[in-house]
Amino acid sequence: GKKIRVHHLRDMKERGEAWPMLTAYDMYTAALFDEAGIPVLLVGDSAANNVFGYDTSLPVTVDELLPLVRAVTRSVKRALVVADLPFGSYQLSPQQALETAVRFMKEGRAHAVKLEGGRKFAPHVEALTSAGVPVMGHIGFTPQSEHNLGGYRVQGRGEAADALLADALALEEAGAFAVVMEMVPAEAAKRITHELKIPTVGIGAGPDCDAQVLVWQDMAGLRRGKTPRFVKKYADLAGVLAGAATAFAEDVRRGEFPASEHSFHD
Ligand code: KIV
Ligand code: NA
C-alpha cells in the first residue's frame, strides 16, 4: 500500500474512520505493526520506561532515542513514524526545538515529531511546521511535567476543560497535524475532538477521539504488574516469553537441547 501521509489522517477524521496508533522501538515490532495496518507508529520517549529501564520518561536523551527511531523507520513500508522529543530537548526555545527535530528527521529519518505542551508551545510548533517538520501535539497529562502536575492525574476536569480546548486550538492554529490527549475526561475529549479540524489521538481520553494510542508492551501484556486503567491487554506476552525461557532452560539442564536435528554432523 501507499505511504501514510498526514493528510490521510485528516481524511480519515472527515470520513469518521477511527485509526489506531502504537509505540514501536525496534525492528520486529515496527515491521509487524506496519504489516498489521497500524498507520502511525510512535517512537515514544516512553522508551525510557519500556526499553531503557528508567522509572520515568525524564532521563532519556536524544542520543538514546535516535538509534531506536532509525531502526523503526528502516523497518516500515507504509506507516508514518513519529519521533517523540524528550524532556529538555525542545523546551528552551523554538530554535532548540527545531535543532532537535532536524536531528530526528535527518539522522533518525523520522516522518514527524511529537512534543508535549499547549498554548505555551505554539511558537515551537510553528517554528517546526514552518521548517517543514510535521508536528503532533500532546496535552492533558504530559508525563514530562509529572512533577509539576503532581503525579499521574486526570487533567481537564470540569472547568479546566476550557483551558484544554484553548491549548488544542492553539496547537492546531500553529500547524500541528494531530494532538494526543492523555488522561482527559471522555466528555472534554469529545468536545475538543468536535472543535478541532485535526485528528485527536486518545490515551485514557474516552471513545470519541479520532484515534487511539497505547504503548505496545502494555497492549500486548509484556509489561507486568499494575497497568493504568486506560490499558487493555490484548495478549500475555510476558507469560509466553517466560514460558519459552523456562522451557529452554529445562531442556538444556536435562540435556534435551540441542537434539540431533539441531546439530551438525560429519
Ligand atoms: O511516549 C509515549 O509512549 C507517548 C504516548 C503514550 C502518547 O507519548
Ligand atoms: Na511520550
Side-chain angles (χ1 to χ4, degrees):
K2 267 174 39 189
K3 277 188 200 312
I4 301 291
R5 306 286 188 178
V6 294
H7 69 89
H8 295 132
L9 306 175
R10 169 127 31 156
D11 293 346
M12 285 192 272
K13 173 168 184 140
E14 276 159 20
R15 291 197 299 265
E17 288 172 26
W19 49 273
M21 168 165 137
L22 284 172
T23 64
Y25 316 97
D26 71 0
M27 173 184 80
Y28 288 128
T29 53
L32 280 167
F33 300 159
D34 187 45
E35 282 158 30
I38 306 291
V40 184
L41 295 180
L42 172 67
V43 186
D45 66 343
S46 55
N49 314 67
N50 296 296
V51 175
F52 294 108
Y54 298 120
D55 58 351
T56 77
S57 65
L58 299 190
V60 79
T61 65
V62 173
D63 289 329
E64 285 173 315
L65 291 179
L66 266 172
L68 311 189
V69 173
R70 189 67 192 98
V72 170
T73 55
R74 247 186 231 126
S75 307
V76 301
K77 294 196 176 78
R78 187 167 165 272
L80 183 96
V81 178
V82 182
D84 223 358
L85 304 188
F87 180 60
S89 74
Y90 64 92
Q91 285 92 344
L92 264 60
S93 63
Q95 182 180 333
Q96 189 204 19
L98 182 53
E99 282 169 2
T100 303
V102 165
R103 287 196 69 193
F104 278 110
M105 303 296 282
K106 289 175 88 99
E107 298 171 47
R109 310 287 299 272
H111 309 136
V113 302
K114 178 166 86 56
L115 57 80
E116 295 183 6
R119 275 158 291 179
K120 288 184 186 137
F121 288 88
H124 304 61
V125 171
E126 195 163 342
L128 270 53
T129 54
S130 302
V133 179
V135 182
M136 179 178 275
H138 185 160
I139 59 173
F141 178 71
T142 45
Q144 294 176 17
S145 309
E146 176 196 332
H147 299 292
N148 200 27
L149 296 173
Y152 274 69
R153 299 167 64 184
V154 174
Q155 304 292 315
R157 284 195 190 277
E159 311 261 287
D162 292 341
L164 210 57
L165 173 61
D167 284 335
L169 288 169
L171 294 172
E172 173 172 285
E173 178 69 20
F177 72 89
V179 58
V180 170
M181 294 195 283
E182 180 163 354
M183 289 177 69
V184 167
E187 296 73 18
K190 180 178 182 177
R191 175 173 158 219
I192 293 168
T193 298
H194 190 74
E195 296 284 335
L196 293 192
K197 292 190 225 37
I198 58 171
T200 59
V201 186
I203 175 161
D208 296 306
C209 297
D210 300 300
Q212 298 288 335
V213 60
L214 286 174
V215 167
W216 86 257
Q217 291 95 336
D218 295 346
M219 181 277 301
L222 184 57
R223 156 154 135 184
R224 287 174 302 176
K226 199 174 175 297
T227 46
R229 176 191 172 93
F230 56 73
V231 170
K232 181 173 173 185
K233 235 176 87 168
Y234 288 86
D236 177 28
L237 274 200
V240 170
L241 276 178
T246 304
F248 169 66
E250 281 172 8
D251 268 11
V252 170
R253 291 190 181 112
R254 288 198 301 243
E256 286 174 15
F257 177 85
S260 182
E261 72 262 33
H262 308 118
S263 308
F264 300 98
H265 301 282
D266 279 328

